[in-house]
Amino acid sequence: MSKYKYRILVCSGASCYSLGSNSFKKVIEDELAKYGIRDQVAVINVGCLGLCGKGPLMLVEPDGKIYTNVSEANLPEIVEKHFVRGTPDERNIITRDDPFYRKQFYIVLKDFDKVDPASLEQYIATGGYSALAKVLTEMSREDVIEEVKKSGLRGRGGAGFPTGIKWETVAKQSSELKFVVCNGDEGDPGAFMDRSVMESMPHRLIEGMTIAAYAVGATQGFIYVRAEYPLAIERLNKAIKEARRAGLLGVDIMDTDFSFDIHIRVGAGAFVCGEETALIASIEGRRGMPKQRPPFPAEKGLWGYPTLINNVETFANIYAIIENGGDWFSSIGTERSKGTKIFALAGKINNTGLVEVPMGITIREMIYEIGGGIQGGKKFKAVQTGGPSGGCIPEKYIDLPIDYDSLKQVGSIMGSGGFIVMDENTCMVDVAKFFMEFCAEESCGKCIPCRVGTVTLRNILQKITEGRATMTDYRNLKDLAFAVREMSLCGLGQTAPNPVLSSITYFEEEYLAHINEKRCIAGVCEIKSFDTINSYV
Amino acid sequence: MSVLTLTINGIECTGREGQTILDVIRENNIPIPALCNLKGLTPVGACRLCLVEVRGISKLVPACTTKIQEGMFIETDTEKLRTYRRILVELLFAEGNHVCASCVVNGNCDLQQLGFMVEMDHVRFDYLWQSFQIDASHPRFVADQSKCVKCTRCIRVCDEVEGAHVWDLKGRGIATRIVSGLNQPWGQVKECTQCGKCVQVCPVGALFDKTATPSEMVKDRSFLQRILEGREAKLWAR
């Protein structure tokens, strides 16, 4: 390290990658060579740097300066000014003290800005796999589960079930064969937390899964990734191969008598396959449809054997719990929601991107400090958390702490961490229609309330936005929303009406204005004139 | 096998361990709607019509897939359940093109019966008026998608009892359809043994005999129990 004067860390997350950062390394190296300082500067591709909305990003150490909106064209200028003359152009630079980074707290995303996602050596150099080594050499299965229980970690997939309890349930099953499955089927519109973890730090996920496998007594693991994440699949595949080669996966891991291996299953991209029973069906090679629980996968999962299913982010938290102890982890966050949560900030906000914050941070801090406020200085209207299964939280709850229980109390959910900010120019009926359309398209078609109910809900919302609805339609909308929520078989259907119900709770006047006054308060919906038709009726 | 006691609608009943709530409800002649469930086939909990309220469980539970437990308090006919069941039946009518007057099972239809049972006099939601296909390529039977309620009884009986697995599902959400073979016309599916089990278990007029005209088709499901019990008892073992 010391032989280099600078380190240039180029973001290689999917967002920056797709904007051209994959070619930066070579261009920079060529430029450096021109000035004969190639050996003074290390250029490394690293994981996601977070501020995706201003990408591609490039971090320069030891200065701690982050270049935003970098392009291949302005690289020569950056190299010349920063590394040759030592007078960087500060206009496009932000630092770690930027409000976007200041309130963040990294556990899962820790060291994303340091290591090359593709390099096992670099991961190990930052302390990687030491938690696994500790588990395999110093801890019993019970110790590991006890530590996870003590940490208070709850499932990051959305439902927030205590992870330690889930592990214990699987560990107590008396089966010869057990599985560990990682749910990487992130399907929420606007969410990319799991994708970023899989792309930026695949080894952290593998380490977490291996520790879980040791704790519950599993020998076989699967990572279920959606096909829309080719970069994640590529990096995971490489990471698994390297881990196998280094004896960190496979038979007799780290020369102990513990064996575990991981395979990747690529899902064809169905939102419902994020539901654990549907995910299991998909891995088994069947049509991805959920099954009535119980039995839960912890008792009867893959091919009928006990199966532990956790989300990517849940597994990625494990190394820190083992290294620093459950008590340390539980000191972060709120009383009933421990640790941190990754959010994908999106929508009408100045800083869009990936953030990790301690549980309990308020919506106001998220939007106005980390998010840098609403675009164009407009007024904040609502935030949609939890994706299509979540709800819209209005401005009056702007000081609400973000944790599992608080969000639930106001009619939304944590979900996997989508955070879509809406400004005053957003029509809430239109938003509800968008999410309902998504759910209707993604319904597997197994149970009636979800299959027909979501489509009917969408049609009624369509009628409202077109100014064709009556109060009878509105009553039907509400009755049906409750019916779909209570009667559907799986989580997709049970939570699908959430955007409708929460927007009715907080923005009923908008619904009524569409219906009674034939007017869209936000000016989004095109209300068609039906006077001619009505005159004939 | 131990006997469990439970209370259904305020009446004390008994059931054997391993039985589902629906089994016990039926043994005690308590009326409950169900569409996807058929004795002899694996329960799937898809139609949601047999949802009941169980004391101590905040969610509604499907009677067909939930095993009984000692001391359960079950309600099958509350105001909430009646409201929801009617909505479900209305949704089914809104989904397909169910014109009873021209249907082969008019008067013998499970869906029609359900309509009476939940006292449905009209459908409050807009009909979806989807376009469907009729497959009359089979020499003996016809599949009319417009009447299909996706209960998957045909799929299960063909797979689990006949062992041919001619039927399956394709598509997602409202576009879900049953398909024969690899989405071929039924008449071209070589695996079809023409046994007609799927036709007999179909609750509505989606699968019917080619010769049937409106109101003529009466389906007989007693064969299923006879076959399954006979197999169990090895009546036809060589």
Side-chain angles (χ1 to χ4, degrees), chain A residues 134-160:
Chain A
K134 183 173 168 186
V135 163
L136 293 183
T137 53
E138 294 169 27
M139 295 170 84
S140 69
R141 286 168 58 176
E142 292 75 23
D143 292 343
V144 180
I145 291 171
E146 196 47 47
E147 213 57 52
V148 175
K149 273 167 84 175
K150 220 193 288 171
S151 75
L153 176 67
R154 291 168 69 174
R156 297 294 193 242

Coordinates of all heavy atoms in Angstrom, one line a residue, chain A residues 134-160:
Chain A
K134 N -13.6 -18.0 13.2 CA -13.9 -17.9 14.6 C -15.1 -18.9 14.9 O -15.0 -19.7 15.9 CB -14.4 -16.5 15.0 CG -14.7 -16.3 16.4 CD -14.9 -14.8 16.7 CE -15.5 -14.6 18.1 NZ -15.9 -13.2 18.3
V135 N -16.1 -18.9 14.1 CA -17.2 -19.8 14.3 C -16.8 -21.3 14.2 O -17.1 -22.1 15.1 CB -18.3 -19.5 13.2 CG1 -19.3 -20.7 13.1 CG2 -19.0 -18.2 13.5
L136 N -16.0 -21.6 13.2 CA -15.6 -23.0 13.0 C -14.6 -23.5 14.1 O -14.6 -24.7 14.4 CB -15.0 -23.2 11.6 CG -16.0 -23.0 10.4 CD1 -15.3 -23.3 9.1 CD2 -17.3 -23.9 10.6
T137 N -13.8 -22.6 14.6 CA -12.8 -23.1 15.5 C -13.1 -22.8 17.0 O -12.6 -23.6 17.8 CB -11.4 -22.4 15.2 OG1 -11.6 -21.0 15.2 CG2 -10.9 -22.9 13.8
E138 N -13.9 -21.8 17.3 CA -14.1 -21.5 18.7 C -15.5 -21.7 19.2 O -15.8 -21.7 20.4 CB -13.7 -20.0 18.9 CG -12.2 -19.8 18.7 CD -12.0 -18.3 18.7 OE1 -12.8 -17.5 19.3 OE2 -11.0 -17.8 18.1
M139 N -16.5 -21.7 18.2 CA -17.9 -21.7 18.7 C -18.6 -22.9 18.4 O -18.4 -23.6 17.3 CB -18.6 -20.5 18.1 CG -18.0 -19.1 18.5 SD -18.7 -17.8 17.6 CE -20.2 -17.4 18.4
S140 N -19.6 -23.3 19.3 CA -20.5 -24.4 19.0 C -21.6 -23.9 18.2 O -21.9 -22.7 18.1 CB -20.9 -25.1 20.3 OG -21.8 -24.2 21.0
R141 N -22.4 -24.8 17.7 CA -23.6 -24.4 16.9 C -24.5 -23.5 17.8 O -25.1 -22.5 17.4 CB -24.4 -25.6 16.4 CG -23.8 -26.3 15.3 CD -24.4 -27.6 15.1 NE -25.8 -27.6 14.8 CZ -26.6 -28.6 14.5 NH1 -26.1 -29.8 14.4 NH2 -27.9 -28.4 14.3
E142 N -24.7 -24.0 19.0 CA -25.6 -23.3 20.0 C -25.0 -21.9 20.3 O -25.8 -20.9 20.4 CB -25.7 -24.0 21.3 CG -26.4 -25.4 21.2 CD -25.6 -26.5 20.5 OE1 -24.3 -26.4 20.5 OE2 -26.2 -27.4 20.0
D143 N -23.7 -21.8 20.4 CA -23.1 -20.4 20.6 C -23.5 -19.4 19.5 O -23.8 -18.3 19.8 CB -21.6 -20.5 20.7 CG -21.1 -21.3 21.9 OD1 -21.9 -21.4 22.8 OD2 -19.9 -21.7 21.9
V144 N -23.4 -19.9 18.3 CA -23.6 -19.1 17.1 C -25.1 -18.6 17.2 O -25.4 -17.4 17.1 CB -23.4 -19.8 15.8 CG1 -23.7 -18.9 14.6 CG2 -21.9 -20.3 15.7
I145 N -26.0 -19.5 17.4 CA -27.4 -19.2 17.4 C -27.7 -18.2 18.6 O -28.4 -17.2 18.5 CB -28.3 -20.4 17.5 CG1 -28.2 -21.2 16.2 CG2 -29.7 -20.1 17.8 CD1 -28.8 -22.6 16.2
E146 N -27.0 -18.5 19.7 CA -27.2 -17.6 20.9 C -26.8 -16.2 20.6 O -27.5 -15.2 20.9 CB -26.4 -18.2 22.1 CG -26.8 -17.7 23.4 CD -28.3 -17.7 23.7 OE1 -29.0 -18.7 23.4 OE2 -28.8 -16.6 24.1
E147 N -25.7 -16.1 19.9 CA -25.1 -14.8 19.5 C -26.1 -14.0 18.6 O -26.3 -12.8 18.8 CB -23.8 -14.9 18.9 CG -22.8 -13.8 19.2 CD -22.5 -13.6 20.7 OE1 -22.2 -14.6 21.4 OE2 -22.6 -12.4 21.1
V148 N -26.6 -14.8 17.6 CA -27.6 -14.1 16.7 C -28.9 -13.7 17.4 O -29.4 -12.7 17.2 CB -27.9 -15.1 15.5 CG1 -28.9 -14.5 14.6 CG2 -26.6 -15.4 14.7
K149 N -29.3 -14.6 18.3 CA -30.5 -14.3 19.1 C -30.3 -13.0 19.9 O -31.1 -12.1 20.0 CB -30.9 -15.4 20.0 CG -31.8 -16.4 19.3 CD -31.9 -17.7 20.1 CE -33.0 -17.6 21.2 NZ -33.2 -19.0 21.8
K150 N -29.1 -13.0 20.5 CA -28.7 -11.8 21.4 C -28.7 -10.5 20.6 O -29.0 -9.5 21.1 CB -27.4 -12.1 22.0 CG -27.3 -11.7 23.5 CD -25.9 -11.7 24.0 CE -25.3 -13.0 24.2 NZ -23.8 -12.9 24.5
S151 N -28.3 -10.6 19.4 CA -28.1 -9.4 18.5 C -29.5 -8.8 18.3 O -29.5 -7.6 18.0 CB -27.5 -9.8 17.2 OG -28.4 -10.5 16.4
G152 N -30.6 -9.6 18.3 CA -31.9 -9.0 18.0 C -32.1 -8.8 16.5 O -33.1 -8.1 16.2
L153 N -31.3 -9.3 15.7 CA -31.4 -9.2 14.2 C -32.8 -9.7 13.8 O -33.1 -10.8 14.1 CB -30.3 -9.9 13.5 CG -30.3 -9.9 12.0 CD1 -30.1 -8.5 11.4 CD2 -29.2 -10.9 11.4
R154 N -33.5 -8.9 13.0 CA -34.7 -9.4 12.4 C -34.6 -9.4 10.9 O -33.8 -8.7 10.3 CB -35.9 -8.4 12.8 CG -36.2 -8.5 14.3 CD -37.1 -7.4 14.7 NE -38.4 -7.5 14.2 CZ -39.4 -6.7 14.6 NH1 -39.2 -5.7 15.5 NH2 -40.6 -6.8 14.0
G155 N -35.3 -10.4 10.3 CA -35.2 -10.6 8.8 C -35.3 -9.3 8.0 O -36.3 -8.6 8.2
R156 N -34.4 -9.1 7.1 CA -34.3 -7.9 6.4 C -35.2 -8.0 5.1 O -35.2 -7.1 4.3 CB -32.9 -7.5 6.1 CG -32.1 -7.2 7.3 CD -32.6 -6.0 8.0 NE -31.6 -5.5 9.0 CZ -31.8 -5.4 10.3 NH1 -33.0 -5.8 10.8 NH2 -30.9 -5.0 11.1
G157 N -35.8 -9.1 4.9 CA -36.6 -9.3 3.7 C -37.9 -8.5 3.8 O -38.6 -8.3 2.8
G158 N -38.3 -8.1 5.0 CA -39.5 -7.3 5.1 C -40.4 -7.7 6.3 O -40.8 -6.8 7.0
A159 N -40.6 -9.0 6.5 CA -41.5 -9.3 7.5 C -40.9 -9.1 8.9 O -41.7 -8.9 9.9 CB -41.9 -10.8 7.4
G160 N -39.6 -9.1 9.0 CA -39.0 -8.8 10.3 C -39.1 -9.9 11.3 O -39.1 -9.6 12.5

